[in-house]
Amino acid sequence: MGILSKRILANKGIKTLTVAACLASLQPQAQTHNQSASYIWPKDTLVQQKLNQWQNNRFGLLMHWGTYSEWGIVESWSICPEDEGWTVRRGPYSSTYNGYVKAYENLQTTFNPTQFNPQKWADAAAAAGMKYVVFTTKHHDGFCMFDTKETDYKVTDAKTPFSTNPKSNIAKEVFSAFRAKGLMTGAYFSKPDWHSPNYWWPYFPPKDRNVNYDPAKYPEKWNAFKQYTYNQIKELMSGYGKMDILWLDGGWVRPYESIDKSVDWQRTIPYNQDIDMKNIATMARSYQPGLLVVDRTVAGEFENYQTPEQTVPKEPLDHPWESCITMGDSWSYVPNDHYKSSNYLVHLLIKIVSRGGNLLLNIGPSPEGDWSDTAYARLKDIGGWMAVNSTAIYSSKPVAPYEAGNLVYTQAKDGSYTSIFVLSPDNNDAVVLPATLSVDASIFGKKSKVTILGQKGELKWKTAGDKVEITIPKNLTGKQVGSYATVLKVTGK
Ligand code: GLC
């Protein structure tokens, strides 16, 4: 690992770099959500402000956690009756579909993550420089990691052993712990719910990921489902403290007219599944003014930022976006997952930020309620790097020439300085600087000053055509000056 795959995919005209680890996955990745083709800027000034603040934060944590973690399988998808790599039934009861679903739902009666300690996670995330968290309150399988009144398929129900634990309202504990460390909080919430009898009506067998009846033919059923969704989101937005992001997954629940037929998984959506986002967003923002609503892939006023998944747009985009990417291969916990290297992850963050995006890095907690040692070790490495270099990451914006060879550029939003990242080779953590470094002249002014973050003293430089040649002090050339990337700061443009 340690390299961004050079394979360039044309994704509706947007070129993306695919994360190599995803392709190398042993466990099939779940189906992926593409990036929307269009964007509408929010009109609400409070939303604009939060969006700006969120963009400045640049780096967040995503967690996928549920009863599926007990079997160490792909989150939710194995109960979806589609024949795809990511829906293969991997639990111990795979002979019949119905038997499997029963056993899967029965995982509720053994979910008991006694090591759950969200303060430990929040400490590790904050020390790594992460500024927001998005947590799975409910994934497609419908199991609620919060104390909803709408169903007993939840962590706080008496059937779940963990319900007797004082921290049983897991989502609440996660949000409180991260908020206490100063992070923004976001609720991942799946619009489709494969446990709800109003989404997968037991009268018919489920056919695929979609609602299993025609909402136009059975409007009272669909209305009941809409109400259920509204009520649950209301619980999350009114009873869990200050929330910053409502991250809605499962883009096949969408108005029929919003379907983009050029996208494979959207082409097969059989029905209008309009959940009334306007109503939901209005309610949510009445409790959480300025809330960012991220109705993934449903381009329009309720997708306040775009969410390319396991990919990074190849060029800077002028609207807000966030790549969600797994630290291992899988969104949810699988035993012995393959973790990306610290070098890879730091480079990923730098490249995303240089293109104007945020990185939402995912970790899947174990059934016992902790992360692997490797996840902590990666965050520690990233944190060590951020402690020296984060001024080149936060509150920055893209600046030409963005990226050239092993150099990547960002600029402070107020234009007061430009940062030049000198990346280490993909397969080697050490950054070794040459005696002179040739960089783009357009970021320099007559009185520019150049320093190296984490080092004392100014560097000499001179113009050479459309380049500037920076002289690296003798004591810093030819040996390791940092790990992953060393940052030169240029002021005075
Ligand atoms: C994919 C997966 C889904 C997961 C999401 C996270 O869409 O199918 O299970 O929650 O990625 O971005």
Side-chain angles (χ1 to χ4, degrees), residues 25 106 138 201 219 298 318 437 488:
S25 169
N106 206 37
K138 179 179 90 169
W201 181 14
V298 190
D318 60 6
L437 204 63
L488 275 63

Side-chain angles (χ1 to χ4, degrees), residues 30-33 62 64 75 77 139-140 188 247 249 296 309 324 331:
Q31 88 101 40
T32 50
H33 267 44
L62 176 61
H64 276 68
E75 66 289 343
W77 282 97
H139 203 261
H140 312 330
Y188 169 112
W247 209 90
D249 201 18
R296 308 184 63 203
E309 194 175 283
C324 48
W331 294 106

Side-chain angles (χ1 to χ4, degrees), residues 39-210:
Y39 180 77
I40 294 180
W41 287 93
K43 293 192 187 71
D44 180 334
T45 50
L46 293 177
V47 178
Q48 290 167 3
Q49 278 163 23
K50 202 184 276 293
L51 199 51
N52 192 35
Q53 187 194 349
W54 169 83
Q55 279 191 299
N56 289 342
N57 287 344
R58 289 300 183 213
F59 188 27
L61 171 73
L62 176 61
M63 280 188 277
H64 276 68
W65 199 25
T67 54
Y68 43 74
S69 310
E70 292 179 71
W71 279 353
I73 53 170
V74 173
E75 66 289 343
S76 298
W77 282 97
S78 61
I79 60 166
C80 177
E82 294 179 23
D83 190 7
E84 303 285 358
W86 60 85
T87 58
V88 171
R89 300 200 283 271
R90 285 174 194 274
Y93 306 90
S94 48
S95 54
T96 66
Y97 176 76
N98 289 341
Y100 182 85
V101 172
K102 202 163 171 226
Y104 182 100
E105 298 197 331
N106 206 37
L107 284 169
Q108 174 181 14
T109 64
T110 45
F111 189 64
N112 197 16
T114 51
Q115 290 168 18
F116 176 52
N117 179 1
Q119 280 79 18
K120 186 179 171 195
W121 294 345
D123 287 347
M130 290 169 152
K131 298 280 190 195
Y132 63 105
V133 66
V134 177
F135 181 73
T136 46
T137 60
K138 179 179 90 169
H139 203 261
H140 312 330
D141 63 11
F143 185 76
C144 297
M145 296 290 274
F146 67 106
D147 186 24
T148 178
K149 291 193 174 57
E150 298 293 316
T151 175
D152 57 10
Y153 194 44
K154 61 176 177 181
V155 62
T156 50
D157 183 73
K159 282 196 288 301
T160 311
F162 198 62
S163 63
T164 56
N165 190 294
K167 292 184 188 162
S168 66
N169 192 352
I170 284 181
K172 191 171 218 162
E173 298 292 331
V174 167
F175 295 141
S176 304
F178 280 79
R179 209 181 280 122
K181 292 296 282 185
L183 280 80
M184 280 181 154
T185 50
Y188 169 112
F189 182 91
S190 167
K191 292 179 292 176
D193 184 317
W194 297 335
H195 188 79
S196 166
N198 293 317
Y199 194 75
W200 278 359
W201 181 14
Y203 182 78
F204 297 120
K207 298 180 196 73
D208 53 27
R209 71 189 67 181
N210 293 284

Side-chain angles (χ1 to χ4, degrees), residues 211-269:
V211 61
N212 73 342
Y213 60 90
D214 182 355
K217 198 164 169 193
Y218 304 98
E220 67 297 338
K221 278 230 150 282
W222 184 252
N223 283 336
F225 183 65
K226 271 163 68 176
Q227 191 62 51
Y228 173 76
T229 305
Y230 179 97
N231 292 350
Q232 286 201 321
I233 294 178
K234 182 171 168 185
E235 290 177 329
L236 288 167
M237 294 299 118
S238 61
Y240 288 74
K242 183 167 173 283
M243 297 300 298
D244 300 292
I245 307 166
L246 177 60
W247 209 90
L248 297 172
D249 201 18
W252 53 95
V253 172
R254 67 196 294 144
Y256 198 78
E257 64 274 13
S258 74
I259 292 172
D260 181 345
K261 296 274 185 194
S262 72
V263 180
D264 265 7
W265 63 264
Q266 293 192 34
R267 221 181 349 259
T268 54
I269 300 174

